[in-house]
Amino acid sequence: MIKNETFIDMEIRTLENIALSQLLEAFNQAFSDYMIRLQLTPESLATKIIAENINLEASVGVFDQGELKGFILHGLGQVNGLETVYNAGTAIVPEYRGQKLGEQMYRFIIPLLKEQGYSRHQLEVIEGNGPAIRLYEKIGFKISREFGCYKGKVASANHPDWDIRSINQLDWALVKTFLDVEPSWQNSAAAIRRTADQHFFVGAFAQDELVGYAVLAQVNGRIKQFGVKKDKRRQGIGTALFSYLSGLNTDGELSFINYQESDTTPEEFFQKLNMQRFIGTYEMIMNL
C-alpha cells in the first residue's frame, strides 16, 4: 500500500507504483551536476535496482503535481545479522533544492522502516559533500568507516609464476578468508551474486589451488572485490590479477570504489599499479 503525506504544494509518498522511466528521468536530472556526474540508462538503472536490492516500497519520493522531484532509494538486506536499510541514492533535482526536502523524506520514511523491523540504516557519501553530510548527521547518522576510490590504466605484465584465468563462479566462503576488510554494500558478495552474469570472475591458481581472485563489473570496469590468500601475499598475485583485468577492459582503465582506508597496504598497491586516489567517501550508520 502506498503511504503518502502532503505538505505545502507537494506530496511525499513511497515509490512502489512509480514508472521506471519517471525514476530514470528524475535520477539523471538530480545527478546532472553532482560532484561525480552520474547518468544512468534504463539498463543500468535496472541493474542497480537488482544489484543493490532496492525495494521501491521502502523508498520515498517527493512529487510536485505528480512529477518526481526528489527521492531516497533504499536497498534491503542483512549486515552482520542485522536487518539493514541501505541508502542507494538520495537526490533532489536542482530547482527544488534548499527546501529541506531530504529531511522531510527521511522524517516520513524512517517510521515506516521501523514498522517493518529494520534496525540499522547505512549509506555512503562523498567526503566533500558538506550539505549531505550535515543532513545525515542531523537525521542521526554517524561516520563509521572511511573509503578511498582509485582509478587508472594498469599496464600489462607477465605473470609466469601464476595461472591467471577466468572462472565461472567463486567459493564465497573461501574467498572471504582472503579479505582483511568488509566490502561496502555495492561491493558485497550478495550484490555481486544478484547480477553475477554481468561480472567477470578471475582466479589466480598455484597448481590448481585458488590463491587470489578478483571480480570486475563488465559495464563500467569497476573492480568490486579482490583478495589474495594471506600466506601468498607480496608475490605478485595482485599485480597479475589486475594486469589480466586491464586486458578485459577496452581502454585498460580500471577503478575500485570504496576501499576501506584503515587497510593501508592496498593504497600502496594501487599506486604501484598507477591507480590514483581520486575521491574519498564516508560510510555512515544510524540505528533505527
Side-chain angles (χ1 to χ4, degrees), residues 53-103:
N53 209 29
I54 292 171
N55 184 312
L56 295 178
E57 187 173 347
S59 302
V60 59
V62 57
F63 296 80
D64 187 358
Q65 298 182 15
E67 293 187 5
L68 183 63
K69 300 300 181 182
F71 56 83
I72 304 173
L73 301 178
H74 284 146
L76 304 178
Q78 283 196 346
V79 175
N80 298 324
L82 297 176
E83 296 295 332
T84 299
V85 180
Y86 172 70
N87 181 331
T90 297
I92 310 292
V93 301
E95 61 269 28
Y96 281 76
R97 294 172 190 163
Q99 302 182 55
K100 297 185 177 181
L101 299 183
E103 184 176 344

Side-chain angles (χ1 to χ4, degrees), residues 130-161:
I133 293 170
R134 288 191 291 273
L135 166 65
Y136 297 137
E137 289 178 335
K138 184 175 182 180
I139 296 299
F141 287 90
K142 295 181 179 179
I143 293 172
S144 56
R145 292 193 289 176
E146 298 183 18
F147 295 133
C149 303
Y150 300 83
K151 65 180 178 180
K153 290 189 176 182
V154 177
S156 61
N158 294 324
H159 39 79
D161 296 331

